[in-house]
């Protein structure tokens, strides 16, 4: 258990440094700063593959699925890329939530920090539950596979225009539980209004983001479980991808219109891992095949978004 404890302790240290040192004072995250932090988080996550190799080669972590060190590294990197790619779709939703509740850019990092902290706890519980289900009921993998295919189909057919979160069932239920005010008081989540503690738009946005992330986890966690059922690899790849979500948001949220075809990349990725689950007992694909399909799908969506203009699929002009 010392490996798990050490990993969680390092994550806590990272989060403490993030809010207590590097972002102690509220400020607007510029694209340059977001790009630097995104590069740092991606480097840390990919560098952790060396730790994975060391842990599995030395037998320092439980290995219930009998992975070799090289196979463990491939599964970790593949799982990380799956979560990273699916996080892009999460960025679009977060942008809509911030816009709907009129959260100033000055306070968005603070909201995302606490949102990520809650996501780590909930995803940890969901991962342990999912791994336990697969280990106890082998047939559950087919359920996950069908679920991912249905999700991919819905994503393909979904309307590009996101609905207003303030009109959602979730927001209406939240108003019944706690008093909500449209008034902001700096970066505070609650204010005392005439003797009544009321939630500010920052807290409402936080709750909506938190619950939205749980819905996204219903897609991403089964997708990673299609790659491996090793709990430490699933947990570490998922958490390290989540840690980079904040900086990724500030990096690409201002360029949402440029990534019009990313949605199709996610459809391909979800469809692939769904089919991989359904045919897992008939076809055993090498690890590099999964990694290649995911990387190429993501790269193709990005390249297509940059090269193809919005009007009738023509390349943008040079002017």
């Amino acid at each position: 258990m010392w490996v798990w404890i050490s990993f969680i302790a390092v994550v806590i240290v990272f989060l403490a440094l993030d809010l207590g040192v590097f972002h102690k004072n509220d400020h607007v995250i510029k694209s340059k700063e977001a790009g630097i932090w995104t590069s740092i988080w991606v480097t840390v996550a990919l560098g952790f593959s060396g730790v994975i190799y060391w842990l599995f080669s030395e037998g320092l972590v439980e290995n219930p699925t009998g992975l070799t060190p090289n196979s463990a590294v491939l599964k970790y990197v593949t799982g990380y890329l799956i979560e990273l790619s699916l996080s892009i779709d999460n960025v679009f939703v977060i942008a809509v939530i911030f816009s709907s509740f009129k959260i100033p850019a000055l306070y968005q990092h603070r909201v995302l920090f606490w949102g990520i902290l809650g996501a780590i706890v909930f995803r940890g519980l969901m991962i342990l539950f999912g791994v336990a289900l697969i280990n106890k009921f082998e047939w559950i993998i087919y359920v996950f596979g069908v679920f991912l295919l249905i999700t991919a189909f819905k994503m393909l057919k979904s309307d590009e225009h996101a609905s207003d979160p303030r009109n959602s069932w979730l927001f209406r239920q939240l108003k019944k539980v706690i008093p909500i005010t449209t008034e902001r008081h700096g970066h505070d989540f609650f204010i005392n209004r005439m003797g009544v503690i009321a939630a500010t738009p920052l807290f409402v946005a936080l709750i909506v983001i938190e619950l939205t992330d749980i819905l996204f986890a219903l897609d991403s966690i089964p997708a990673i479980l299609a790659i491996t059922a090793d709990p430490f690899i699933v947990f570490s790849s998922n958490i390290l991808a989540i840690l980079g979500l904040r900086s990724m948001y500030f990096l690409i949220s201002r360029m949402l219109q440029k990534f019009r075809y990313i949605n199709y990349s996610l459809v391909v990725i979800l469809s692939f891992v769904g089919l991989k689950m359904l045919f897992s007992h008939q076809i055993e694909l090498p690890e590099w095949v999964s990694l290649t399909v995911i990387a190429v799908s993501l790269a193709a969506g990005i390249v297509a978004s940059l090269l193809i203009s919005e009007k009738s699929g023509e390349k943008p002009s040079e002017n």
Side-chain angles (χ1 to χ4, degrees), residues 25 104 111 115 140 143 147 153 156 265 277 300:
N25 299 318
V111 175
I140 202 72
V143 177
F147 177 75
F153 179 77
L156 183 63
S265 297
M277 279 185 154

Side-chain angles (χ1 to χ4, degrees), residues 62-237:
E62 188 178 358
N63 188 4
T65 55
L67 298 176
T68 64
N70 288 329
S71 180
V73 169
L74 281 174
K75 288 181 180 293
Y76 165 78
V77 174
T78 304
Y80 173 72
L81 286 180
I82 287 178
E83 179 58 37
L84 198 65
S85 60
L86 294 179
S87 294
I88 294 176
D89 202 36
N90 207 349
V91 167
F92 286 74
V93 176
I94 291 174
V96 171
I97 294 172
F98 279 152
S99 175
S100 175
F101 291 105
K102 297 180 174 58
I103 307 300
L106 185 65
Y107 306 128
Q108 289 179 3
H109 180 274
R110 180 178 177 85
V111 175
L112 284 179
F113 172 87
W114 292 107
I116 295 300
L117 190 62
I120 290 175
V121 175
F122 285 118
R123 291 203 180 201
L125 295 174
M126 294 175 70
I127 287 170
L128 293 177
F129 181 69
V131 170
L133 276 178
I134 284 184
N135 289 334
K136 188 172 181 63
F137 306 106
E138 192 173 355
W139 53 266
I140 202 72
I141 194 170
Y142 298 115
V143 177
F144 286 161
V146 171
F147 177 75
L148 290 178
L149 289 177
I150 293 174
T151 302
F153 179 77
K154 288 182 177 179
M155 186 177 293
L156 183 63
K157 296 295 184 180
S158 64
D159 188 355
E160 293 181 357
H161 303 287
S163 58
D164 190 338
R166 293 174 299 179
N167 298 326
S168 65
W169 176 87
L170 172 63
F171 181 67
R172 293 196 301 270
Q173 299 307 309
L174 188 62
K175 290 175 65 176
K176 296 178 182 179
V177 177
I178 56 175
I180 294 177
T181 177
T182 57
E183 179 184 350
R184 290 192 307 270
H185 190 269
H187 63 210
D188 293 338
F189 289 120
F190 295 94
I191 61 173
N192 191 327
R193 187 183 60 180
M194 300 178 62
V196 177
I197 303 299
T200 67
L202 269 71
F203 181 77
V204 177
L206 170 63
I207 296 300
V208 175
I209 289 174
E210 198 74 72
L211 296 178
T212 301
D213 182 78
I214 293 177
L215 296 178
F216 274 101
L218 294 176
D219 300 334
S220 62
I221 291 177
I224 294 181
L225 290 175
I227 304 301
T228 178
D230 184 276
F232 185 73
I233 291 179
V234 174
F235 182 74
S236 58
S237 61

Side-chain angles (χ1 to χ4, degrees), residues 237-257:
S237 61
N238 202 281
I239 298 306
L240 287 174
I242 291 175
L243 288 177
L245 178 60
R246 290 159 301 163
S247 55
M248 182 188 296
Y249 167 78
F250 292 108
L251 178 64
I252 69 176
S253 62
R254 302 178 180 95
M255 303 182 294
L256 293 181
Q257 296 302 319

Side-chain angles (χ1 to χ4, degrees), residues 281-299:
H281 293 106
Q282 288 77 32
I283 303 174
E284 186 173 351
L285 295 176
E287 299 306 325
W288 63 267
V289 173
S290 299
L291 182 58
T292 302
V293 170
I294 293 165
V296 170
S297 300
L298 186 59

